[in-house]
Amino acid sequence: MVAGLAFIDGAMALENLLDRSLKILLSFAGLCLTGWAWVQFIRILSVAESISRQAVCAQCHRYGRIDVVDERSSEDLSMKVMTCKCKKCAHIWKINYTLQWRDARI
């Protein structure tokens, strides 16, 4: 936000209306791109956190030591289902996750 205000402040110092408009437009486009990238980062982070909460073996309570046996989409294509196997005790369970922002569990 500070960078956007600095760009606009610098654009107001320009005398030519075309140059000023172009600089403001490019500043706005850069801010929109930055906002979109931030939202994508947060979405990916929430999916990773959702998966990591489910990566604990129910039998031996080992975290993160899994082999992914199978990965499929659900019937309505809204969820992904990973079949996982514990490397320590060979327990098999399913991890459900979604790539949809509104369904991500935070």
Side-chain angles (χ1 to χ4, degrees):
M1 179 140 174
V2 173
L5 292 174
F7 277 124
I8 290 173
D9 185 45
M12 291 302 156
L14 296 173
E15 297 292 327
N16 189 352
L17 181 62
L18 181 64
D19 289 341
R20 183 183 300 168
S21 300
L22 183 63
K23 191 163 188 173
I24 289 173
L25 181 68
L26 288 175
S27 299
F28 182 71
L31 287 173
C32 288
L33 182 64
T34 302
W36 175 82
W38 181 254
V39 168
Q40 294 301 313
F41 170 73
I42 295 298
R43 183 177 72 84
I44 291 169
L45 196 62
S46 69
V47 169
E49 186 178 355
S50 174
I51 291 172
S52 71
R53 272 195 239 116
Q54 300 174 62
V56 179
C57 178
Q59 280 187 336
C60 67
H61 304 289
R62 185 116 186 207
Y63 172 75
R65 301 289 296 169
I66 60 174
D67 285 326
V68 177
V69 177
D70 188 30
E71 183 177 10
R72 298 177 188 218
S73 294
S74 63
E75 293 169 2
D76 61 353
L77 300 176
S78 65
M79 296 282 286
K80 300 264 188 184
V81 179
M82 278 192 301
T83 304
C84 301
K85 180 179 173 183
C86 179
K87 288 184 177 180
K88 183 178 178 186
C89 67
H91 175 69
I92 295 176
W93 76 96
K94 295 186 184 305
I95 293 178
N96 299 311
Y97 67 98
T98 181
L99 298 177
Q100 302 296 320
W101 177 260
R102 66 188 183 332
D103 296 328
R105 291 175 276 174
I106 297 176

